[in-house]
């Protein structure tokens, strides 16, 4: 999600608050919907794997990010 948001900001937003200017537009709402769909798929996939008890082991390169997020849990 963070990577996708950064791409959206770098490629489309630049210095604007919204995609087409300084007010929310239909394009902003559609982009938000697309981002939500993109993030739901991996989450639902993980939930399905949990139900089936087939959770894959995360690759080593994500371990530092996981530890950082775990350390921020109150």
């Amino acid at each position: 999600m963070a990577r996708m948001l950064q791409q959206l900001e770098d490629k489309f937003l630049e210095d604007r608050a919204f995609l087409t200017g300084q007010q929310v537009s239909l394009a902003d709402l559609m982009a938000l919907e697309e981002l939500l769909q993109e993030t739901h798929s991996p989450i639902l996939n993980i939930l399905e794997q949990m139900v089936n008890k087939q959770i894959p082991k995360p690759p080593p390169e994500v371990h530092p990010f996981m530890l950082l997020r775990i350390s921020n849990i109150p």
Side-chain angles (χ1 to χ4, degrees):
M1 179 70 166
R3 180 177 49 83
M4 293 181 75
L5 288 173
Q6 189 63 52
Q7 287 178 350
L8 175 67
E9 189 173 319
D10 293 345
K11 293 181 180 182
F12 298 103
L13 290 178
E14 298 169 347
D15 62 344
R16 296 184 307 265
F18 301 100
L19 290 173
T20 60
Q22 296 303 319
Q23 294 183 344
V24 175
S25 68
L26 181 58
D28 295 297
L29 297 176
M30 291 178 71
L32 176 62
E33 176 62 29
E34 185 62 30
L35 285 171
L36 290 174
Q37 288 180 14
E38 292 291 327
T39 57
H40 281 133
S41 179
I43 291 170
L44 292 174
N45 188 21
I46 290 170
L47 291 174
E48 182 179 330
Q49 291 175 3
M50 287 176 58
V51 168
N52 295 328
K53 299 184 183 194
Q54 300 172 343
I55 300 174
K57 186 174 180 180
E61 61 268 15
V62 300
H63 288 184
F65 300 107
M66 293 172 64
L67 292 175
L68 177 63
R69 292 199 184 264
I70 290 169
S71 69
N72 290 329
I73 296 173

